[in-house]
Amino acid sequence: MDTFASESGSSNTHAPVGGNLRGWLDHLRNSDRLALARPGIALRFGVAGVANRLDGTRASVFPAPGGHPVPVISGLLSRRAWMAEAMGVPEDELLARLDHACRHPVRWREVTEPACQQVIHDDVDLRKLLPAPTHNEHDFGAYITAGLLVSRRPDTGIQNVSIHRLQISGPDRLGALILPRHTLAFFAEREARGADLDIAIVVGVDPLTLMASQAVVPIDHDELEIAGALRGAPLPVARCLTNEVRVPADAEIVLEGRMLAGVREEEGPFGEFPQYYGERALRHVIQVDLVTHRTAPMYHTIVGGGLEHLLLGAVPREASFLSQLRASFSCVRDVHLSVGGTCRYHLAVQLEQPKPGEARNVIMAALGAHYDIKHVTVVDTDVDVHDPTQVEWAVATRFQADRDLIVVPGAQGSKLDPSTVDGVGAKMGMDATVPADAAEGRFTRIRVPGQDELDLEQLVAPAPSDWRDRIGTA
Ligand code: MN
């Protein structure tokens, strides 16, 4: 996993193309992957509908959405290949590059007069300032969905960055779903003393910072330092004007505020990654004290349940799972969270010549690696784990349910999986590897020798209208 160890210590001479948001959009445009909508597309369902139709094909820009002066952008990273491109590596090095960045963070660099503070609004009305769309049919209303929530422990100065769905509940008030990870730990410490947690919400960052925000790292790691590692240079940050939180200096829009101690208000429903709605319940509340932005900013939205939403969660998790599993099992080669499995619930793991029984150990470790992992399929190296059809083929031809199936009842799963009972449900492992004692040739996959090396342009052409005459058949 130390593919990039030779680079550590020396910085890249060229920043990867994903280190600059406007540069990335130019890059997409220059390769026919940026769509410009006609002005005035509706914020309610209009933006999400167009973005979903273009999902995985083109990013989209919406000028004057619903008549609002700030344009909306969406679909910046809706393919794995685009993520690799943004990082400047081949797609098969995507996970290794992310894992390397997590292990070798680069401290940020503080700057003054940042672009993100070119315009300052201390009279906060989020509904007027932000063109926040309403995405799915039963969403409560407009949500901020691509806001990086940056929090800071007052005692150590260590920051955390994560994305949470943020319901616009009032002119200066947000409802937030904060699942039990680092932001909640920071907040719980403050709330126990009756104090609010200072935070900032950053909308419109470069693709590398966006990916870094989703890195799975320990609580004392600032994800902005992983952004630095991915760009090969310290990320420029700026101090907020009303608190000590440091935010990416080149961000489009920053909301400064506080997560309120002792306050919970209704939030939801909201269309989530499993393609179902997260329910309405009492949740955390953020008070926004100040909004700053660039002159002529852009507003990034991630459509709930779209590929950008799914893959931003999947790829950093895969990097973490691959690293964890390899630490225990040297036979693990690759992992994949499939789109059909909501990019969270179905993990495929590729193994190279596991020892007898080892495939089952890998299954058990993978099922325990994260509560979201529900079904694990292990396959051999002749099966591409990134191709769900190949994984299904391995299950169809190498798996026997009475012999190769593991079921664990009553385990902790995802609360957003509607088939569980409040997040508790069964987990399943399928061993679709070839048994070590299988007879020679029994599981050899058919192939045509030389097929992949053929130069088809030299060998065939589209059939012309007189194709029958050419072959002498009337
Ligand atoms: Mn964290």
Side-chain angles (χ1 to χ4, degrees):
M1 286 310 294
D2 253 336
T3 315
F4 299 89
S6 58
E7 285 175 21
S8 60
S10 68
S11 57
N12 298 345
T13 44
H14 303 287
V17 66
N20 176 294
L21 175 55
R22 285 145 200 260
W24 175 249
L25 291 169
D26 278 339
H27 176 75
L28 292 177
R29 196 224 70 87
N30 293 337
S31 44
D32 193 23
R33 288 176 287 175
L34 186 68
L36 179 63
R38 71 167 170 72
I41 303 273
L43 285 169
R44 185 173 161 81
F45 309 142
V47 164
V50 172
N52 274 347
R53 290 286 295 271
L54 298 172
D55 203 17
T57 311
R58 286 182 177 81
S60 37
V61 181
F62 299 89
H68 197 283
V70 175
V72 168
I73 55 175
S74 192
L76 308 182
L77 292 173
S78 56
R79 293 188 80 93
R80 285 163 195 273
W82 298 13
M83 292 181 172
E85 213 176 319
M87 292 197 288
V89 296
E91 195 174 342
D92 61 4
E93 288 176 27
L94 179 59
L95 302 188
R97 182 77 190 93
L98 265 174
D99 187 52
H100 181 265
C102 291
R103 290 168 193 271
H104 302 87
V106 173
R107 178 78 177 162
W108 34 257
R109 171 173 66 87
E110 196 160 339
V111 300
T112 51
E113 298 184 32
C116 68
Q117 292 171 354
Q118 283 164 342
V119 180
I120 300 168
H121 297 271
D122 50 16
D123 184 17
V124 175
D125 187 344
L126 298 173
R127 289 168 175 152
K128 284 192 184 136
L129 290 171
L130 306 180
T134 300
H135 291 144
N136 285 297
E137 185 179 11
H138 298 300
D139 285 0
F140 176 75
Y143 268 75
I144 299 169
T145 57
L148 274 56
L149 195 155
V150 188
S151 52
R152 186 176 186 276
R153 278 182 60 137
D155 50 348
T156 62
I158 290 174
Q159 300 204 136
N160 190 69
V161 187
S162 48
I163 298 180
H164 304 271
R165 68 184 204 221
L166 299 167
Q167 169 188 285
I168 298 184
S169 312
D172 56 357
R173 222 162 162 86
L174 300 168
L177 173 65
I178 312 286
L179 293 172
R181 286 203 79 235
H182 301 156
T183 304
L184 188 61
F186 282 19
F187 175 71
E189 259 183 22
R190 296 289 293 162
E191 191 175 43
R193 296 174 204 160
D196 300 339
L197 177 70
D198 287 343
I199 57 113
I201 293 155
V202 185
V203 181
V205 296
D206 64 87
L208 297 182
T209 303
L210 189 60
M211 274 187 281
S213 76
Q214 299 306 293
V216 184
V217 289
I219 192 163
D220 54 350
H221 287 222
D222 181 344
E223 284 82 0
L224 295 183
E225 298 188 354
I226 295 162
L230 288 177
R231 65 170 49 215
L235 179 74
V237 302
R239 185 187 169 282
C240 283
L241 297 174
T242 61
N243 61 38
E244 291 293 323
V245 175
R246 303 314 197 268
V247 293
D250 294 326
E252 300 290 322
I253 300 167
V254 179
L255 319 185
E256 301 183 7
R258 292 161 288 130
M259 199 179 296
L260 300 179
V263 180
R264 300 292 187 276
E265 291 173 1
E266 296 267 310
E267 183 274 336
F270 177 76
E272 276 286 0
F273 68 84
Q275 316 291 329
Y276 295 104
Y277 294 93
E279 64 186 359
R280 188 163 182 80
L282 287 176
R283 301 231 164 79
H284 293 88
V285 176
I286 291 167
Q287 172 78 37
V288 180
D289 298 319
L290 189 78
V291 175
T292 72
H293 59 75
R294 299 172 69 119
T295 51
M298 297 182 289
Y299 178 90
H300 181 204
T301 197
I302 295 173
V303 180
L307 283 172
E308 188 172 33
H309 187 190
L310 293 171
L311 292 174
L312 272 172
V315 171
R317 283 165 189 240
E318 289 172 352
S320 167
F321 296 153
L322 181 58
S323 173
Q324 279 180 53
L325 290 173
R326 283 184 63 108
S328 304
F329 306 99
S330 61
C331 63
V332 172
R333 287 287 163 275
D334 207 352
V335 299
H336 182 81
L337 289 163
S338 59
V339 170
T342 78
C343 280
R344 306 288 193 284
Y345 300 165
H346 284 182
L347 183 75
V349 185
Q350 189 191 57
L351 306 180
E352 183 168 6
Q353 296 186 320
K355 296 177 197 76
E358 197 175 20
R360 289 186 158 234
N361 293 32
V362 171
I363 287 171
M364 292 188 285
L367 287 174
H370 192 290
Y371 58 74
D372 275 345
I373 298 181
K374 181 178 179 181
H375 299 149
V376 172
T377 308
V378 295
V379 297
D380 293 297
T381 49
D382 63 343
V383 175
D384 179 0
V385 280
H386 302 290
D387 180 349
T389 301
Q390 288 202 33
V391 174
E392 186 182 356
W393 170 82
V395 171
T397 62
R398 295 176 174 178
F399 167 84
Q400 286 294 316
D402 61 344
R403 181 189 68 192
D404 300 318
L405 176 69
I406 298 172
V407 176
V408 182
Q412 187 195 12
S414 164
K415 291 200 179 207
L416 290 171
D417 171 357
S419 70
T420 66
V421 178
D422 195 26
V424 175
K427 292 183 184 263
M428 171 175 79
M430 290 187 282
D431 178 0
T433 59
V434 171
D437 59 359
E440 174 90 26
R442 188 172 175 88
F443 289 96
T444 301
R445 201 166 168 175
I446 60 166
R447 66 182 282 268
V448 177
Q451 174 178 305
D452 292 343
E453 290 74 39
L454 296 176
D455 182 355
L456 280 190
E457 300 215 350
Q458 295 291 325
L459 296 171
V460 296
S465 57
D466 63 345
W467 69 273
R468 287 196 193 183
D469 296 336
R470 302 271 189 119
I471 62 170
T473 303

